[in-house]
Amino acid sequence: MEHDPRGFFPPGDLRVSDAERDLAVSELSRAFQVGRLTTEEFQERSELAYAARTGNELTALLGDLPVEKDSAEVAVVRHDDSDLDRPRVVVGATIAAACFALVSVANAFSHGPTLQQRELIQAIYRQHGITIPLPPAAGFNWAGTITPAIISLVFVVLVIVLRTTRAKRA
């Protein structure tokens, strides 16, 4: 049988996917449930469906079964590469958000270098011929606290957006 009346399987000797094999078995299961196949026939055809390599082989397994009206509603499984990458992105963004949040908190509680540390840094730079003013005095490090906090919030928003768009697709 060359043509698949259901329109599920590739024509001729084109190779089939695992999703198409599963679809053929679900069609066989539906035929078994309504009494068109015996238990032995269902088991035999299911094994052949999982071993099938081409569209012709799957079409032949279903050739003597009628096309059900609701079979058009059966969704073919499609693999979207972005769906496979999404969990990795969510995990990575979550880890990045936590890291930037920790840096922000550490900088908020740090008082910066002491006067002795600042003078030591200046002396080391002078030995290498680099002249710089003293690093900032001890105190609250606004840039070192606010910048990582904002980056952390951006990652949190990214995680929320990815999770909500994933929930809408499901």
Side-chain angles (χ1 to χ4, degrees):
M1 181 173 271
E2 188 80 19
H3 176 68
D4 173 27
R6 290 167 180 79
F8 293 157
F9 312 118
D13 291 328
L14 291 177
R15 309 248 306 153
V16 294
S17 68
D18 289 339
E20 290 161 336
R21 289 183 193 94
D22 290 339
L23 189 57
V25 172
S26 71
E27 285 289 307
L28 292 170
S29 175
R30 190 174 296 155
F32 172 69
Q33 290 170 1
V34 296
R36 290 195 174 95
L37 295 175
T38 65
T39 304
E40 294 80 24
E41 287 175 315
F42 172 70
Q43 289 175 344
E44 180 184 339
R45 289 188 189 199
S46 295
E47 289 173 7
L48 289 172
Y50 284 124
R53 292 185 178 170
T54 66
N56 276 344
E57 293 174 20
L58 289 181
T59 303
L61 291 174
L62 302 170
D64 62 342
L65 298 173
V67 178
E68 300 291 331
K69 289 182 181 180
D70 64 341
S71 65
E73 297 173 8
V74 175
V76 177
V77 177
R78 295 181 189 219
H79 299 287
D80 187 8
D81 290 341
S82 64
D83 286 343
L84 297 175
D85 292 338
R86 189 172 304 234
R88 289 186 219 156
V89 172
V90 169
V91 169
T94 304
I95 292 170
C99 290
F100 278 104
L102 286 173
V103 168
S104 178
V105 169
N107 285 340
F109 288 110
S110 172
H111 297 292
T114 64
L115 179 62
Q116 185 180 15
Q117 290 169 333
R118 292 184 304 140
E119 288 174 351
L120 176 65
I121 292 169
Q122 193 175 33
I124 292 171
Y125 281 149
R126 251 188 265 124
Q127 286 177 351
H128 295 287
I130 302 170
T131 305
I132 61 165
L134 275 175
F140 189 75
N141 183 357
W142 285 99
T145 302
I146 300 299
T147 304
I150 290 172
I151 294 171
S152 178
L153 287 174
V154 169
F155 278 117
V156 168
V157 169
L158 175 65
V159 169
I160 291 169
V161 167
L162 288 174
R163 288 198 180 257
T164 55
T165 58
R166 183 177 180 189
K168 287 180 184 176
R169 284 187 176 192

